């Protein structure tokens, strides 16, 4: 196994865990080959080493702009430059992008493949629309470098493959692709598939090991990026289950990777606890206010009843010359409550001053 993957992980810190380092991990050729084997139909019958040999030139990692004034195609494709045509603020870059060749009935064909890392599946907009936009940009950016004038027959097929590490539960352990397909509205005229099958957006949503469909590529990516395994387990799974080649310093680097991943998990737990405490305090204050109001109302009603009874007791004692106990009996005040009113009667009457 090349050390590019584990060395990238070893450089992880809290600010780059899901960004630059994740991109470098995805750009490791053996990881890309496994992704292509599952998600790119053109490589279905190829072995992993064969697919690795199909990746052409350098793999661009976070340095190719997406939007029209930022786009440059992968280097070493017909002498293309890696420089953008202009410099703009708030630029958007492809995470990983590269070119590849693939076998077909017409011989070897060219492909342009983009792989993206994404934590949330619902970032505030439909993620599939963004993936399709990336596909469209990779198609339109071919004008000039790949084809010109009316030579549309030279357009290369594009793939935008998205790996979502924290998808909603209903999408966990799923891989879904979105393509252009022929649909007959009237009649049965057919077009060669290669003329319209030009873009493919694929969503890979990782999930927990106990979930349905966990295995194959989903398991491999979860092992790499899920942070649930020890270094020994990662090495064993990648080498024995997925045929990754062994490097001299593999064990030490994977150990660093796992320690860092565990650190991120512990940091997440800590943040979760702190957030829970904060929410608990806020909820406690809210509940305290509600209980206070409720108890205040109850206490107010109780004091109103006491005041009314006290006035009635005093009135009977004065008008009928009754003792306090006789007056309370006449008012049907329960015997267990009478000591309370006897104590109150010792206090001066606020109206009479007695």
């Amino acid at each position: 196994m090349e050390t590019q993957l584990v060395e990238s992980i070893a450089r992880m810190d809290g600010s780059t865990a899901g960004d630059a380092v994740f991109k470098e991990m995805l750009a490791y050729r053996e990881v890309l080959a496994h992704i292509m084997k599952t998600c790119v139909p053109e490589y279905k019958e190829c072995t992993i080493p064969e697919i690795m040999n199909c990746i052409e030139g350098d793999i661009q990692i976070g340095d190719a702009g997406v939007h029209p004034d930022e786009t440059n195609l992968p280097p070493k494709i017909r002498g293309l430059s890696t420089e953008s045509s202009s410099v703009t603020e708030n630029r958007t870059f492809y995470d990983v992008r590269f070119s590849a060749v693939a076998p077909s009935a017409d011989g070897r064909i060219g492909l342009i493949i983009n792989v993206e890392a994404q934590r949330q599946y619902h970032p505030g907009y439909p993620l599939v629309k963004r993936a399709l936009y990336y596909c469209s940009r990779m198609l339109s950016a071919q004008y000039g470098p790949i084809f010109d004038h009316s030579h549309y027959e030279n357009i290369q097929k594009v793939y935008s493959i998205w790996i979502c590490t924290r998808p909603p539960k209903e999408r966990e352990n799923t891989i879904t692709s979105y393509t252009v397909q022929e649909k007959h509205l009237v009649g049965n005229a057919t077009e060669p598939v290669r003329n319209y099958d030009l873009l493919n957006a694929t969503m890979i949503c990782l999930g927990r090991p106990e979930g349905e469909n966990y295995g194959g590529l989903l398991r491999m990516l979860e092992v790499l990026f899920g942070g649930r395994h020890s270094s020994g387990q990662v090495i064993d799974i990648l080498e024995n289950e997925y045929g990754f080649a062994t490097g001299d310093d593999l064990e030490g680097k994977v150990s660093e990777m796992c320690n860092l991943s565990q650190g991120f998990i512990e940091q997440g737990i800590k943040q979760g606890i702190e957030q829970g405490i904060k929410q608990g305090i806020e909820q406690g204050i809210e509940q305290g206010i509600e209980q206070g109001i409720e108890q205040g109302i109850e206490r107010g009603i109780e004091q109103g009843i006491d005041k009314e009874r006290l006035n009635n007791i005093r009135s009977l004692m004065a008008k009928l010359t009754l003792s306090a106990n006789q007056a309370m009996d006449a008012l049907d005040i329960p015997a267990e409550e009478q000591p309370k009113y006897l104590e109150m009667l010792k206090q001066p009457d606020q109206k009479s001053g007695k």
Side-chain angles (χ1 to χ4, degrees):
M1 180 188 297
E2 294 181 16
T3 59
Q4 173 189 345
L5 173 63
V6 286
E7 286 176 351
S8 298
I9 298 173
R11 293 197 301 275
M12 284 198 294
D13 58 36
S15 63
T16 62
D19 189 19
V21 176
F22 205 157
K23 295 172 188 177
E24 292 184 11
M25 289 189 285
L26 289 177
Y28 175 53
R29 287 175 182 257
E30 201 156 358
V31 172
L32 290 175
H34 280 274
I35 293 172
M36 293 159 69
K37 172 79 172 176
T38 298
C39 300
V40 181
E42 286 82 355
Y43 299 109
K44 183 178 180 181
E45 303 302 326
C46 298
T47 65
I48 295 301
E50 288 172 342
I51 298 173
M52 291 173 65
N53 289 331
C54 288
I55 298 174
E56 291 190 320
D58 296 329
I59 298 170
Q60 292 179 299
I61 307 172
D63 61 359
V66 174
H67 301 310
D69 61 345
E70 305 167 352
T71 299
N72 54 288
L73 289 172
K76 297 187 180 179
I77 300 181
R78 304 194 180 187
L80 296 180
S81 169
T82 60
E83 296 181 359
S84 300
S85 58
S86 67
V87 178
T88 60
E89 295 182 356
N90 300 320
R91 295 181 62 184
T92 302
F93 297 90
Y94 296 103
D95 282 359
V96 175
R97 195 182 60 173
F98 59 96
S99 59
V101 293
S104 75
D106 301 326
R108 293 167 71 83
I109 60 171
L111 302 174
I112 299 173
I113 300 175
N114 156 236
V115 181
E116 297 286 324
Q118 178 79 18
R119 287 190 183 89
Q120 297 181 347
Y121 190 83
H122 297 297
Y125 54 82
L127 196 59
V128 171
K129 284 192 173 183
R130 182 177 174 185
L132 290 171
Y133 171 74
Y134 278 30
C135 287
S136 301
R137 285 296 308 126
M138 288 188 288
L139 282 175
S140 64
Q142 293 181 44
Y143 186 81
I146 305 299
F147 77 98
D148 54 18
H149 303 296
S150 297
H151 293 288
Y152 297 101
E153 71 276 5
N154 294 327
I155 294 177
Q156 296 181 356
K157 184 177 180 179
V158 301
Y159 282 85
S160 187
I161 301 171
W162 291 68
I163 300 172
C164 186
T165 58
R166 296 291 182 270
K169 190 170 183 62
E170 66 272 12
R171 280 194 171 267
E172 287 186 355
N173 290 320
T174 62
I175 301 176
T176 310
S177 68
Y178 302 86
T179 62
V180 177
Q181 296 183 351
E182 184 177 71
K183 183 178 181 180
H184 300 133
L185 302 182
V186 179
N188 296 304
T190 60
E191 182 75 13
V193 174
R194 64 179 178 274
N195 291 342
Y196 59 82
D197 183 24
L198 293 178
L199 62 86
N200 180 305
T202 297
M203 318 305 289
I204 302 174
C205 295
L206 306 185
R208 298 179 179 274
E210 61 271 19
E212 187 179 0
N213 303 324
Y214 181 79
L217 178 64
L218 290 168
R219 171 170 164 77
M220 189 201 81
L221 294 175
E222 193 276 332
V223 167
L224 283 174
F225 307 126
R228 305 178 193 275
H229 301 81
S230 68
S231 59
Q233 290 173 326
V234 171
I235 294 169
D236 180 70
I237 293 171
L238 294 182
E239 292 181 356
N240 296 328
E241 295 187 26
Y242 295 94
F244 276 58
T246 304
D248 294 338
D249 58 348
L250 175 63
E251 186 172 350
K253 292 299 183 180
V254 170
S255 178
E256 290 181 55
M257 172 190 71
C258 293
N259 289 338
L260 286 167
S261 296
Q262 186 60 39
F264 292 132
I265 291 174
E266 291 174 356
Q267 182 181 10
I269 292 173
K270 181 181 178 182
Q271 291 175 348
I273 292 173
E274 291 174 352
Q275 184 66 26
I277 292 173
K278 180 181 177 182
Q279 291 178 355
I281 292 173
E282 292 174 352
Q283 291 176 1
I285 292 172
E286 196 173 314
Q287 291 175 0
I289 292 172
E290 291 178 359
Q291 291 177 359
I293 293 172
E294 197 174 305
Q295 292 176 2
I297 293 172
E298 292 176 356
R299 184 60 182 158
I301 293 172
E302 183 180 343
Q303 289 179 351
I305 293 172
D306 287 343
K307 185 175 181 180
E308 183 181 359
R309 281 183 173 178
L310 200 60
N311 289 337
N312 290 337
I313 293 169
R314 285 187 172 131
S315 178
L316 288 178
M317 290 173 65
K319 292 179 180 178
L320 301 179
T321 317
L322 299 176
S323 67
N325 292 100
Q326 289 172 330
M328 287 188 285
D329 288 338
L331 293 170
D332 294 325
I333 296 174
E336 63 271 15
E337 294 183 21
Q338 290 186 13
K340 176 176 70 173
Y341 294 107
L342 288 173
E343 188 65 29
M344 290 180 180
L345 289 169
K346 294 179 183 178
Q347 302 298 324
D349 186 345
Q350 297 297 322
K351 291 182 179 180
S352 64
K354 296 180 181 178

